[in-house]
Amino acid sequence: MIANANSFRRLAAGACLVLAPLCLLLGMVVDPYEPGDVMAYANNPGAAGISATLLHYAWVLWVPAVLGLVHLVRGRGVVLANLAGAAAVLGLINFSSMMVVDFIDITLFQNLPAEQAQKLIDDSAHPALIFGWQMPGMIGSFLGLTLVAVAYARSGRAGWWFPAGVLVGLLVWLFGANQGNALLGLAGPVILLVVFGVVGVSLIRMGDEDWSARGIRGIAG
């Protein structure tokens, strides 16, 4: 399989479409964050570290997943797929690096008074970090993933349930995570796992001819 370019890349992309949202879901399950508790990570360094690592790999694994989806968009939606794919890849790479902040949080709050630790974190919000890392990471990742799904559906490879599910899953997850709502924080990744998982399995089951051919054979819409 490794010697077969089409098989390996198709299976890798399909597997990553399943593993990326799965890592996001597991990372949220393990996350010890509690609204208003600044000591949550410092008091639970093991869980916080595992959560940050799972979230890091979620964003990393979405990169080959996106490349696989873009590869299959031909004809209708190709321009959107190329542009959105580039934005998504750059965004995901940036966003994955932000997970290291959790480890800094653990160390600061374990070794300094809470007020001093929080001040150092707040003071670290350098404009270059915000505009060069955070904003491109978040905007590129979330907008890019959604628009890649739109291009994939437009090409006829999947129904419009795919981009709709991606958009809803991301919005539900973002709202739940920002508000400290555990139910919504888990519901969003579950939705993403379902929609990306269906597409991922379709890639795994796809023949090498369809992966490499110029024709379109979509999955059920």
Side-chain angles (χ1 to χ4, degrees):
M1 181 188 72
I2 296 179
N4 186 316
N6 287 325
S7 293
F8 182 81
R9 294 167 189 172
R10 172 177 56 80
L11 293 174
C16 287
L17 282 164
V18 177
L19 292 174
L22 178 60
C23 283
L24 177 61
L25 175 59
L26 294 177
M28 294 302 297
V29 169
V30 179
D31 190 355
Y33 173 75
E34 292 289 341
D37 184 6
V38 297
M39 298 298 294
Y41 286 2
N43 292 335
N44 301 276
I50 293 173
S51 174
T53 301
L54 286 167
L55 295 176
H56 162 71
Y57 277 103
W59 311 125
V60 169
L61 288 169
W62 249 308
V63 171
V66 165
L67 294 177
L69 294 177
V70 171
H71 167 77
L72 287 169
V73 176
R74 304 172 182 115
R76 289 184 304 168
V78 68
V79 174
L80 177 60
N82 290 340
L83 295 176
V89 167
L90 291 174
L92 290 162
I93 292 171
N94 271 299
F95 204 43
S96 69
S97 67
M98 299 305 299
M99 300 306 105
V100 75
V101 173
D102 290 353
F103 295 98
I104 298 174
D105 183 291
I106 293 170
T107 302
L108 289 177
F109 280 95
Q110 282 183 335
N111 293 279
L112 296 172
E115 295 79 7
Q116 185 178 357
Q118 187 61 56
K119 185 178 185 304
L120 287 174
I121 291 177
D122 294 341
D123 291 346
S124 70
H126 191 281
L129 176 66
I130 296 173
F131 295 105
W133 297 56
Q134 287 182 336
M135 291 183 64
M138 294 187 68
I139 296 173
S141 296
F142 304 142
L143 185 61
L145 284 173
T146 302
L147 292 180
V148 165
V150 169
Y152 196 77
R154 178 169 168 72
S155 74
R157 288 283 182 180
W160 289 102
W161 54 264
F162 180 40
V166 171
L167 178 60
V168 171
L170 288 173
L171 290 177
V172 170
W173 173 67
L174 282 172
F175 181 81
N178 288 333
Q179 298 299 313
N181 186 308
L183 179 61
L184 294 179
L186 296 176
V190 168
I191 295 171
L192 294 173
L193 179 58
V194 171
V195 294
F196 277 110
V198 170
V199 175
V201 170
S202 76
L203 264 66
I204 293 172
R205 299 176 61 183
M206 178 185 293
D208 287 342
E209 299 79 11
D210 196 18
W211 171 264
S212 60
R214 297 186 64 84
I216 292 179
R217 272 183 281 168
I219 65 175

